[in-house]
Amino acid sequence: ACFVTMGACSPIHKNQYALWKLLKHSSFLAACPFLWYLVSLLPPTQLQGCLWHATSTLPTLVSFCVLACSVIHETVMEQTSSAGGHVELQKMCLSYWSCWPLVTLLGNLVTSIPEIVPHDEAEQLSVTLQRVLLIFVAWMQLWQGSYIF
């Protein structure tokens, strides 16, 4: 019975990383309504600023922190041989910055919809799309969705 149990768990153990990624991205589906509620609490006049800070300021600060920590970490690494999660943080920052031009382009397009499309509902459409883009950026940063691209 022990060998049968070990045989059944072997594929799960081999694909543990893929299973972890699947569970992590599935948790976004559970968190998405809560994020939508939080983003809907923001006044429409502040959405553009929040979107800009979420797409540029926050990732810049995180990247600087990772860079500063990597310099400190290199001196510690001379005494040890394990790279640990620091390389993962650097990969996460690089993967986000590789998607940054597209995110910035989408942000500029979404905020300029009322000027491009002369329609009564254009302002509301712009606000809704800014909220969607904020949640998309949260997925890219917190759930590391930028790895997929």
Side-chain angles (χ1 to χ4, degrees), residues 1-11 13:
C2 182
F3 290 116
V4 172
T5 305
M6 288 176 56
C9 292
S10 179
H13 183 62

Side-chain angles (χ1 to χ4, degrees), residues 15-97:
N15 298 319
Q16 187 175 6
Y17 183 70
L19 183 62
W20 170 249
K21 284 177 64 173
L22 177 69
L23 288 174
K24 182 173 66 173
H25 288 290
S26 298
S27 72
F28 176 74
L29 295 176
C32 194
F34 180 69
L35 287 172
W36 182 260
Y37 173 73
L38 287 178
V39 170
S40 68
L41 294 176
L42 290 171
T45 56
Q46 294 180 356
L47 274 173
Q48 187 174 0
C50 289
L51 185 59
W52 184 79
H53 285 300
T55 57
S56 297
T57 307
L58 183 63
T60 301
L61 293 175
V62 169
S63 296
F64 282 143
C65 288
V66 168
L67 183 62
C69 290
S70 67
V71 170
I72 295 169
H73 194 256
E74 284 180 14
T75 59
V76 174
M77 289 301 297
E78 291 173 359
Q79 291 117 15
T80 63
S81 62
S82 64
H86 223 61
V87 173
E88 287 300 314
L89 286 173
Q90 292 171 347
K91 286 180 183 178
M92 181 186 73
C93 288
L94 285 174
S95 69
Y96 175 77
W97 285 115

